[in-house]
Amino acid sequence: MVYKRAWAEISLDNMAHNIAVIRGLLPAGTDMMGIVKADAYGHGAVDIARAMLFNGADSLGVAICEEGVQLRQGGIEGPVLVMGFTPAPLLDSVVKHNLIQTVFSKDGARALSEAAARHNKRAVIHIKIDTGMSRLGFLPRAESINEICAIAQDSNLFVQGIYTHLATSDQLDHEFVFEQQARFDWVLKELQGQGLNIMKRHIANSGAVAQIARLEHTSNIPLVDKNRFMDIARVGILLYGLPPSAEMAETCAPLGLKPVMRIKAQVSQVKRLAPGVGISYGHIYKTKRESTIAVLPIGYADGYPRRLSHGGKVLVRGQLAPVAGAICMDQCMIDVTDIPEVSPGDHVTLLGNKEEGISADDLADIVGTISYEIVCGIGKRVPRVYVHNV
C-alpha cells in the first residue's frame, strides 16, 4: 500500500531476526518475555505481540492493564504480565482477561483477591521486589517476607513468579547490579526458609542480556553471567533492534540486531527559492544561495521532534538532506539543493539505521533524549505498515 503522507514501515523479518539472536544468547531453560508496553515501543502492540509469539517468545509483558486487554481483544492468547499498577476498579478486567498481575503490596494483593473471588477464579500474580530501582516493589526486609508469605496463603491468588528490575544494567559499570542481585538472592533465600519456593524467578532485562556479548568477547571483567538469568529474561528494546543505551551501543554492535522501524514520508512539494529567503516559523533558517526546498507532510504532531529543526537530516535518493527551518506541527522542510531531481511523490526516510546516519540513537542524540522516546513518540496519525525484507 502506498500512503500519500507519512508511514512507519515495521519489518517483521527484522523482528524475527532479533528474536533469534536474543534467543541464541539465553541459557537453556530461560524463557523469553517480549515486552510490548507502550504500543510495543511505538511499533504496534497487537501485530508485534503476534510476531513475537510466532517467532519464539514465550510470554509478553505490558505496563498497564489496558494494554493487556488490548492484546486479548486482538486475539493474543499467550501469557501476559502486567508489570505496573492497576487501579482497583480495573482488577476485574485483569481477572476476566486472564492477565498476570504484578503485586507489590499487601493492599494490592487483597484487592486482586476480592476481584478474583467475584469471578470465581484464581488470579495469577508475580511478586515485585524493589532491590534498588526505587519504583514499585516490596523492599528486601523481614516485614516484606512475612507479607509475601501471607499473600501466598490466599486461596484466590497463585504466586507464579517473583522478579526485580535492574537499574544500571545498561551501563558498563556493574557494581550496583551485583548489589541488586545480592538483595534479590536474600529475598529468595528467606522465602525458601519459610517454605515458599516460587516457580518463575526473573531479574534480567535488555541491558543484562546485552552484557552477554561482553561476557563472551571480554576476559578479566566481572559481568552478569548466564547463571543469573534464572527462569525468564524480560527483553524489550533489544528486540526492536536498538541498544539499551548509547553507552551500550558498542557492546551491542557484534550482535547484528536490525532496527524494526523506519519512518517515511512522500515529498508533497518542491520549490526553488532565491538567496536570503526565510523558511518556516521564526525564519531560523535562511537560504544562503539559490536553493531547492522540499516540503514533507510530517511534523511534531506525528512524533517527529521539533528539536530536529537544529541538526536533523533525512535520506532522499540515497543522500542526506538537512532539515530547513523549524519543524511545524504537520509539516517540515528539507534542503535538497545538492540532490538532483527530487520531485513530489519521492519517498523520504526520516528514521532509518545507523549506517544511514538517521537511526533512533542518532535522532535521540540531537534531541537530547533516548532512542526509546523517539520510537515511542511516533504518533497514531502515522500508520504502521507491516512488511518483509526491509
Side-chain angles (χ1 to χ4, degrees), residues 153-172:
Q153 296 300 312
D154 191 316
S155 60
N156 296 318
L157 303 176
F158 170 56
V159 183
Q160 180 194 67
I162 184 169
Y163 71 105
T164 193
H165 191 68
L166 299 175
T168 62
S169 63
D170 61 351
Q171 299 174 9
L172 298 182

Side-chain angles (χ1 to χ4, degrees), residues 307-324:
R307 287 192 178 184
L308 291 174
S309 304
H310 303 276
K313 295 179 181 179
V314 305
L315 192 67
V316 188
R317 291 182 172 269
Q319 299 183 54
L320 291 175
V323 172

Side-chain angles (χ1 to χ4, degrees), residues 8-75:
E9 284 185 350
I10 309 299
S11 172
L12 298 179
D13 287 347
N14 286 0
M15 170 61 70
H17 168 82
N18 296 340
I19 291 173
V21 170
I22 300 304
R23 172 63 73 185
L25 291 173
L26 298 180
T30 297
D31 288 348
M32 179 193 299
M33 178 182 292
I35 305 303
V36 292
K37 63 180 180 176
D39 197 31
Y41 293 51
H43 293 66
V46 173
D47 290 275
I48 289 298
R50 187 176 294 113
M52 284 186 177
L53 293 173
F54 179 79
N55 287 287
D58 300 286
S59 60
L60 303 167
V62 297
I64 59 177
C65 167
E66 295 92 328
E67 293 175 336
V69 172
Q70 179 191 14
L71 295 181
R72 293 293 188 237
Q73 291 175 340

